[in-house]
Amino acid sequence: MTESTHESAAHDSTAPSGTEQVDSVEHAARTPELAQPYRELGLADDEYERIREILGRRPTEAELAMYSVMWSEHCSYKSSKTHLKYFGETTTEEMRSKMLAGIGENAGVVDIGDGWAVTFKVESHNHPSYVEPYQGAATGVGGIVRDIMAMGARPVAVADPLRFGPAEAEDTRRVLPGVVEGIGGYGNCLGLPNIGGEVVFDESYARNPLVNAMCVGVLKSDELQLAHATGAGNKVVLFGARTGLDGIGGVSVLASETFSGDETGSGRKKLPSVQVGDPFTEKVLIECCLELYGSDLVVGVQDLGGAGLSCATSELAAAGDGGMRIDLDTVPLRAEGMNPAEILSSESQERMCAIVRPEDVESFMAVCRKWDVTATVIGEVTEDDRLRIDWRGECVVDVPPRTVADEGPVYQRPVRRPAEQDLITADDPNTLARPGTADELRETLLRMAASPNLCSREWVTGQYDHYVRGNTVLAQPSDGGVLRVDEETGRGIAVATDCNARYTRLDPYEGARLALAEAYRNVAVTGSKPVAVTNCLNFGSAEDPAVMWQFQQSVRGLADAAAELGVPVTGGNVSFYNQTGSSPILPTPVAGVLGVIDDVTKRIPTGIGAASGESLLLLGETREEFGGSEWSRVAHDHLGGTPPRVDLERERLLADVLGIGSRDGLISAAHDLSEGGLAQALVEMSLIGETGARIVLPEEADPFVWLFSESAGRVLVSVPRGAELKFTELCAARGLPCSKTGVVDTESGALEIQGIGEIPLSELREAWEGTLPRLFG
Amino acid sequence: MSAAGARIGVITFPGSLDDGDARRAVRRAGASDVALWHGDADLHGVDAVIVPGGFSYGDYLRCGAIAKFAPVMTEVVRAADRGMPVLGVCNGFQVLCEAGLLPGVLTRNSGLHYVCRDQWLRVENNTSTWTTRYEAGADLLVPIKHGEGRYVAEEPVLDRLEGEGRVLFRYVEDNPNGSRRDIAGITDERGRVAGLMPHPEHAIDPLTGPTDDGLGMFLSALDSLVAA
């Protein structure tokens, strides 16, 4: 068949059959032996056999496209499912009590009190962002925002945990600016403040950047929307952008092999496989959705993300109490000659799918017209339990929806702790040469502050709007972002994401616990109470047993830590195959924590300088812990030993003390100690607050260990003079170690550290702020 | 008129982002806020209008270029001609320039990046409707957040703006976008229509902004409405 006949058929949907053979269900039943390109679509032999078993015949092209994309790793979690069960097994009834929706929904929803609920989620858009950094990152933001909208929530903030190859590498200069511009270009145009995130550089992410996107949404707790297609006779409405050829990815195999042998005259299939975003359409879609929800015109709703209509229709139908019938001819298209497989698989952005009562359809359409949003009834909910899709008068899909959406293959991938793990653990960082003299310590401090992983992120975050909506109380460079939710009561929320993948490389179980501990602590230092956890698990190939061991251990670490901290895991995302050749990325289980603060005016900022003479108190204990530390990387390019010890009971205690300190006005600034240790925390607190300090060493302390160790469970706080006694008594009563480390000096304009001497803030600032602008322009 | 009796309208275009913030600022100043819809050729009897920040109509073609054709803008231009106070912030400034209420254009930042940061401004004119609460020469700390905020006009236009004292604010310390003569905001001949790239509506409360330095613009306009 030539392109021209295909095109002419597309122009005339009433063209009699015979101008072109539609691969209908009937046709499939008549041609059981037709060879199908299932392997090119990523299906294994036994997976294809199973589809034939389910259907009792070979699948049609459209069905094959649906199953292949829905049974992909990305959609089906086939390699991770067996491990992810552990999150559910370790969540107690008590932890569940505040959850309005959890794993399995588009995003977890948590009750935060006063009738408010919050939903939050992180998703990866790693591979597209490497291929096309701007659009990959932009559509990553767009996708996670629609996930949050699908819960009935107004998106109120975004944050982006990012990982790149070495900062000075040529390819990083291509990828990073594009990713940052894409995140800003899309998020800024949506009017969502960007309030957190991370930027980390490591060799392992060269050619495998991680672009994770978080979105937070707020709703009244009785306004939750769920992705269910219920009520026979209810209409299925597709609304938002038109459906085009972008992002059809692998499914183009079908098109080119069976539908259009000659592509040379057209060029329409040459679109990039990365989707293209239009934030203006999404912004209007947000407002339109919220008005639809507010007018109670929606029975169920689902966003169209990966796998497009295949995913939305099968998931809505699978989660409902009936079946669904769709007429593909009604789908508004923006390309000519699209075949059913392409329409079903298209990942065109800015689309949503709603279930609407027949009597509400006109009102629904009126709201869409107000916002200039294209909306079309494409089908209806049926009484049976089939998903039937027609095209040009013929049935091209007839499947049990659950077999597409929920009953994909589940694999028990081999899991094996690699022998080399012992060698890494044995490679003791305590044998590395250390700075000894005052000059060496000073030089180390400055060199660390200027290093790509510790330097100021302003070059990145300055391209994101963090003011829009007027509710941002804390944003980067603060440890956690804080937002006001209720202007009357002052109730607010905090979010933070963290993962030190060097720790996870040394010990995936403990590293994952450390990631959660740090995100939890970063929420706590703002004065907020941590209440829920999400995650984005970025790993190498699921077919590498060593990677699966890292994955299994990380999941267990995260789940166990969440249970110990008493905060439920409400959702998550998995991204495998982040590797080049046989080299996987560092295992990167990013933990996101949501917190609640009763009164945002009590939030604790990061910078010091409220008043001269305030005491700087170090909470927690410092041990000689350099495994995976930033110092071992900056000074020796070394990764070995064991990560810092985790004490989650201590983390809970710290959070309690910080919460009380915030409520009672005992703390004027606080900063978590993590990468770079105390030295880096001092640099940041001083520079952010534009205020100097004088620091003293505890007796018998080794200055190097004291300044650069990365022991977990530590926070540096600034305490007003009148509050010091009350605060130290609070710590003593609870058994939280608290030692006086120095005083704030609003006059000196320098950081003076005993054993090192005085470093002017201007010199520190030059080191800390100069690096990224120098690298990225 | 009492302060609360003053009604200040804020336009929402598709793609407006800071409309909610502008309305909050109006309320905080003590006036009543009125939502105005882009497709509605009616100002609903408001006493002043704010064209807020955002990406009206996606800023396709050119920033603010499509918004000037909105039915509500026809009314705004008429009302401005009659002397109604009008403020355009960021994208709203771009819209007012496109609509011909203010001279000049806003082009891509010289650094080519979108910039969001706290910016020092100097008050150059404290006699316009929107700036009477400030002292001339005072420094204000207000957020900026834009990718196309570089103010450009022909030399004679710039000379005239300077000569007539119509530069409202100038960037100090560091020009963030390459604006000609460090111009951050200007006003029309009568001092009733004002446009600026910085966001006074994001500086009305030190809890959510760097300062409350921006509140003075809303209070200034309210003063003039109450006195009228």
Side-chain angles (χ1 to χ4, degrees), chain A residues 498-517:
Chain A
D498 280 292
C499 178
N500 184 324
R502 285 163 57 84
Y503 295 166
T504 329
R505 176 73 180 87
L506 298 182
D507 184 335
Y509 181 82
E510 293 297 327
R513 286 157 61 86
L514 281 161
L516 180 54

PDB file of all heavy atoms in Angstrom, chain A residues 498-517:
ATOM      1  N   ASP A 498      15.645  14.482  48.583  1.00  0.00           N
ATOM      2  CA  ASP A 498      17.070  14.228  48.790  1.00  0.00           C
ATOM      3  C   ASP A 498      17.460  12.835  48.365  1.00  0.00           C
ATOM      4  O   ASP A 498      16.665  11.909  48.426  1.00  0.00           O
ATOM      5  CB  ASP A 498      17.435  14.395  50.269  1.00  0.00           C
ATOM      6  CG  ASP A 498      17.603  15.856  50.642  1.00  0.00           C
ATOM      7  OD1 ASP A 498      18.558  16.466  50.158  1.00  0.00           O
ATOM      8  OD2 ASP A 498      16.747  16.369  51.373  1.00  0.00           O
ATOM      9  N   CYS A 499      18.715  12.727  47.962  1.00  0.00           N
ATOM     10  CA  CYS A 499      19.354  11.427  47.834  1.00  0.00           C
ATOM     11  C   CYS A 499      20.833  11.656  47.621  1.00  0.00           C
ATOM     12  O   CYS A 499      21.230  12.370  46.706  1.00  0.00           O
ATOM     13  CB  CYS A 499      18.803  10.636  46.652  1.00  0.00           C
ATOM     14  SG  CYS A 499      19.648   9.057  46.472  1.00  0.00           S
ATOM     15  N   ASN A 500      21.637  11.072  48.475  1.00  0.00           N
ATOM     16  CA  ASN A 500      23.073  11.048  48.230  1.00  0.00           C
ATOM     17  C   ASN A 500      23.382   9.668  47.663  1.00  0.00           C
ATOM     18  O   ASN A 500      23.466   8.692  48.391  1.00  0.00           O
ATOM     19  CB  ASN A 500      23.854  11.297  49.515  1.00  0.00           C
ATOM     20  CG  ASN A 500      25.348  11.373  49.245  1.00  0.00           C
ATOM     21  OD1 ASN A 500      25.870  10.646  48.388  1.00  0.00           O
ATOM     22  ND2 ASN A 500      26.034  12.239  49.959  1.00  0.00           N
ATOM     23  N   ALA A 501      23.519   9.609  46.331  1.00  0.00           N
ATOM     24  CA  ALA A 501      23.659   8.320  45.659  1.00  0.00           C
ATOM     25  C   ALA A 501      25.026   7.689  45.902  1.00  0.00           C
ATOM     26  O   ALA A 501      25.203   6.497  45.680  1.00  0.00           O
ATOM     27  CB  ALA A 501      23.405   8.487  44.164  1.00  0.00           C
ATOM     28  N   ARG A 502      25.995   8.489  46.356  1.00  0.00           N
ATOM     29  CA  ARG A 502      27.292   7.895  46.725  1.00  0.00           C
ATOM     30  C   ARG A 502      27.101   7.005  47.948  1.00  0.00           C
ATOM     31  O   ARG A 502      27.661   5.914  48.033  1.00  0.00           O
ATOM     32  CB  ARG A 502      28.324   8.992  46.977  1.00  0.00           C
ATOM     33  CG  ARG A 502      28.836   9.633  45.676  1.00  0.00           C
ATOM     34  CD  ARG A 502      29.528  10.952  45.898  1.00  0.00           C
ATOM     35  NE  ARG A 502      30.660  10.917  46.804  1.00  0.00           N
ATOM     36  CZ  ARG A 502      31.911  10.585  46.449  1.00  0.00           C
ATOM     37  NH1 ARG A 502      32.170  10.251  45.204  1.00  0.00           N
ATOM     38  NH2 ARG A 502      32.885  10.607  47.331  1.00  0.00           N
ATOM     39  N   TYR A 503      26.304   7.467  48.879  1.00  0.00           N
ATOM     40  CA  TYR A 503      26.002   6.626  50.042  1.00  0.00           C
ATOM     41  C   TYR A 503      25.287   5.345  49.600  1.00  0.00           C
ATOM     42  O   TYR A 503      25.575   4.247  50.080  1.00  0.00           O
ATOM     43  CB  TYR A 503      25.071   7.355  51.021  1.00  0.00           C
ATOM     44  CG  TYR A 503      25.613   8.597  51.693  1.00  0.00           C
ATOM     45  CD1 TYR A 503      24.751   9.461  52.358  1.00  0.00           C
ATOM     46  CD2 TYR A 503      26.965   8.895  51.695  1.00  0.00           C
ATOM     47  CE1 TYR A 503      25.207  10.600  53.000  1.00  0.00           C
ATOM     48  CE2 TYR A 503      27.439  10.045  52.322  1.00  0.00           C
ATOM     49  CZ  TYR A 503      26.555  10.893  52.981  1.00  0.00           C
ATOM     50  OH  TYR A 503      27.014  12.019  53.609  1.00  0.00           O
ATOM     51  N   THR A 504      24.336   5.508  48.675  1.00  0.00           N
ATOM     52  CA  THR A 504      23.557   4.350  48.229  1.00  0.00           C
ATOM     53  C   THR A 504      24.435   3.356  47.481  1.00  0.00           C
ATOM     54  O   THR A 504      24.194   2.154  47.518  1.00  0.00           O
ATOM     55  CB  THR A 504      22.398   4.801  47.310  1.00  0.00           C
ATOM     56  OG1 THR A 504      21.975   6.094  47.709  1.00  0.00           O
ATOM     57  CG2 THR A 504      21.236   3.861  47.407  1.00  0.00           C
ATOM     58  N   ARG A 505      25.448   3.890  46.795  1.00  0.00           N
ATOM     59  CA  ARG A 505      26.372   2.998  46.094  1.00  0.00           C
ATOM     60  C   ARG A 505      27.150   2.151  47.101  1.00  0.00           C
ATOM     61  O   ARG A 505      27.387   0.969  46.893  1.00  0.00           O
ATOM     62  CB  ARG A 505      27.347   3.838  45.260  1.00  0.00           C
ATOM     63  CG  ARG A 505      28.421   3.053  44.545  1.00  0.00           C
ATOM     64  CD  ARG A 505      27.838   2.281  43.363  1.00  0.00           C
ATOM     65  NE  ARG A 505      28.873   1.512  42.663  1.00  0.00           N
ATOM     66  CZ  ARG A 505      29.244   0.283  43.000  1.00  0.00           C
ATOM     67  NH1 ARG A 505      28.655  -0.331  44.015  1.00  0.00           N
ATOM     68  NH2 ARG A 505      30.181  -0.340  42.316  1.00  0.00           N
ATOM     69  N   LEU A 506      27.536   2.767  48.217  1.00  0.00           N
ATOM     70  CA  LEU A 506      28.305   2.042  49.228  1.00  0.00           C
ATOM     71  C   LEU A 506      27.431   1.042  49.972  1.00  0.00           C
ATOM     72  O   LEU A 506      27.892  -0.023  50.365  1.00  0.00           O
ATOM     73  CB  LEU A 506      28.924   3.026  50.230  1.00  0.00           C
ATOM     74  CG  LEU A 506      29.916   4.038  49.665  1.00  0.00           C
ATOM     75  CD1 LEU A 506      30.481   4.921  50.774  1.00  0.00           C
ATOM     76  CD2 LEU A 506      31.049   3.332  48.919  1.00  0.00           C
ATOM     77  N   ASP A 507      26.183   1.404  50.175  1.00  0.00           N
ATOM     78  CA  ASP A 507      25.266   0.509  50.890  1.00  0.00           C
ATOM     79  C   ASP A 507      23.839   0.928  50.536  1.00  0.00           C
ATOM     80  O   ASP A 507      23.310   1.888  51.097  1.00  0.00           O
ATOM     81  CB  ASP A 507      25.492   0.618  52.402  1.00  0.00           C
ATOM     82  CG  ASP A 507      24.622  -0.371  53.176  1.00  0.00           C
ATOM     83  OD1 ASP A 507      23.550  -0.767  52.650  1.00  0.00           O
ATOM     84  OD2 ASP A 507      25.001  -0.739  54.297  1.00  0.00           O
ATOM     85  N   PRO A 508      23.224   0.205  49.567  1.00  0.00           N
ATOM     86  CA  PRO A 508      21.922   0.669  49.085  1.00  0.00           C
ATOM     87  C   PRO A 508      20.842   0.691  50.165  1.00  0.00           C
ATOM     88  O   PRO A 508      19.943   1.534  50.109  1.00  0.00           O
ATOM     89  CB  PRO A 508      21.574  -0.307  47.960  1.00  0.00           C
ATOM     90  CG  PRO A 508      22.609  -1.348  47.947  1.00  0.00           C
ATOM     91  CD  PRO A 508      23.759  -0.924  48.801  1.00  0.00           C
ATOM     92  N   TYR A 509      20.925  -0.203  51.115  1.00  0.00           N
ATOM     93  CA  TYR A 509      19.911  -0.210  52.175  1.00  0.00           C
ATOM     94  C   TYR A 509      20.078   1.015  53.075  1.00  0.00           C
ATOM     95  O   TYR A 509      19.166   1.819  53.248  1.00  0.00           O
ATOM     96  CB  TYR A 509      20.011  -1.503  52.990  1.00  0.00           C
ATOM     97  CG  TYR A 509      18.971  -1.603  54.087  1.00  0.00           C
ATOM     98  CD1 TYR A 509      17.678  -2.040  53.803  1.00  0.00           C
ATOM     99  CD2 TYR A 509      19.291  -1.253  55.405  1.00  0.00           C
ATOM    100  CE1 TYR A 509      16.720  -2.123  54.811  1.00  0.00           C
ATOM    101  CE2 TYR A 509      18.341  -1.330  56.417  1.00  0.00           C
ATOM    102  CZ  TYR A 509      17.056  -1.763  56.111  1.00  0.00           C
ATOM    103  OH  TYR A 509      16.110  -1.836  57.105  1.00  0.00           O
ATOM    104  N   GLU A 510      21.278   1.180  53.610  1.00  0.00           N
ATOM    105  CA  GLU A 510      21.532   2.313  54.510  1.00  0.00           C
ATOM    106  C   GLU A 510      21.468   3.637  53.752  1.00  0.00           C
ATOM    107  O   GLU A 510      21.003   4.655  54.284  1.00  0.00           O
ATOM    108  CB  GLU A 510      22.907   2.166  55.175  1.00  0.00           C
ATOM    109  CG  GLU A 510      23.020   0.998  56.154  1.00  0.00           C
ATOM    110  CD  GLU A 510      22.080   1.118  57.350  1.00  0.00           C
ATOM    111  OE1 GLU A 510      21.812   2.265  57.789  1.00  0.00           O
ATOM    112  OE2 GLU A 510      21.599   0.083  57.824  1.00  0.00           O
ATOM    113  N   GLY A 511      21.919   3.632  52.508  1.00  0.00           N
ATOM    114  CA  GLY A 511      21.897   4.861  51.707  1.00  0.00           C
ATOM    115  C   GLY A 511      20.475   5.358  51.500  1.00  0.00           C
ATOM    116  O   GLY A 511      20.204   6.567  51.567  1.00  0.00           O
ATOM    117  N   ALA A 512      19.551   4.426  51.251  1.00  0.00           N
ATOM    118  CA  ALA A 512      18.154   4.826  51.063  1.00  0.00           C
ATOM    119  C   ALA A 512      17.584   5.373  52.368  1.00  0.00           C
ATOM    120  O   ALA A 512      16.818   6.338  52.372  1.00  0.00           O
ATOM    121  CB  ALA A 512      17.341   3.626  50.579  1.00  0.00           C
ATOM    122  N   ARG A 513      17.979   4.741  53.479  1.00  0.00           N
ATOM    123  CA  ARG A 513      17.518   5.245  54.782  1.00  0.00           C
ATOM    124  C   ARG A 513      18.076   6.648  55.034  1.00  0.00           C
ATOM    125  O   ARG A 513      17.377   7.528  55.540  1.00  0.00           O
ATOM    126  CB  ARG A 513      17.952   4.281  55.895  1.00  0.00           C
ATOM    127  CG  ARG A 513      17.122   3.001  55.909  1.00  0.00           C
ATOM    128  CD  ARG A 513      17.845   1.847  56.582  1.00  0.00           C
ATOM    129  NE  ARG A 513      18.182   2.096  57.985  1.00  0.00           N
ATOM    130  CZ  ARG A 513      17.338   1.869  58.998  1.00  0.00           C
ATOM    131  NH1 ARG A 513      16.131   1.401  58.759  1.00  0.00           N
ATOM    132  NH2 ARG A 513      17.708   2.094  60.241  1.00  0.00           N
ATOM    133  N   LEU A 514      19.321   6.868  54.618  1.00  0.00           N
ATOM    134  CA  LEU A 514      19.922   8.195  54.779  1.00  0.00           C
ATOM    135  C   LEU A 514      19.210   9.224  53.909  1.00  0.00           C
ATOM    136  O   LEU A 514      19.016  10.375  54.316  1.00  0.00           O
ATOM    137  CB  LEU A 514      21.409   8.144  54.414  1.00  0.00           C
ATOM    138  CG  LEU A 514      22.333   7.573  55.486  1.00  0.00           C
ATOM    139  CD1 LEU A 514      23.660   7.135  54.873  1.00  0.00           C
ATOM    140  CD2 LEU A 514      22.590   8.594  56.600  1.00  0.00           C
ATOM    141  N   ALA A 515      18.822   8.808  52.696  1.00  0.00           N
ATOM    142  CA  ALA A 515      18.117   9.733  51.793  1.00  0.00           C
ATOM    143  C   ALA A 515      16.813  10.185  52.443  1.00  0.00           C
ATOM    144  O   ALA A 515      16.493  11.376  52.458  1.00  0.00           O
ATOM    145  CB  ALA A 515      17.840   9.055  50.451  1.00  0.00           C
ATOM    146  N   LEU A 516      16.079   9.225  52.990  1.00  0.00           N
ATOM    147  CA  LEU A 516      14.821   9.593  53.622  1.00  0.00           C
ATOM    148  C   LEU A 516      15.074  10.425  54.879  1.00  0.00           C
ATOM    149  O   LEU A 516      14.387  11.425  55.120  1.00  0.00           O
ATOM    150  CB  LEU A 516      14.004   8.339  53.966  1.00  0.00           C
ATOM    151  CG  LEU A 516      12.664   8.607  54.639  1.00  0.00           C
ATOM    152  CD1 LEU A 516      11.809   9.564  53.825  1.00  0.00           C
ATOM    153  CD2 LEU A 516      11.903   7.312  54.873  1.00  0.00           C
ATOM    154  N   ALA A 517      16.091  10.032  55.641  1.00  0.00           N
ATOM    155  CA  ALA A 517      16.403  10.780  56.859  1.00  0.00           C
ATOM    156  C   ALA A 517      16.722  12.237  56.533  1.00  0.00           C
ATOM    157  O   ALA A 517      16.297  13.162  57.238  1.00  0.00           O
ATOM    158  CB  ALA A 517      17.579  10.134  57.598  1.00  0.00           C
TER     159      ALA A 517
END
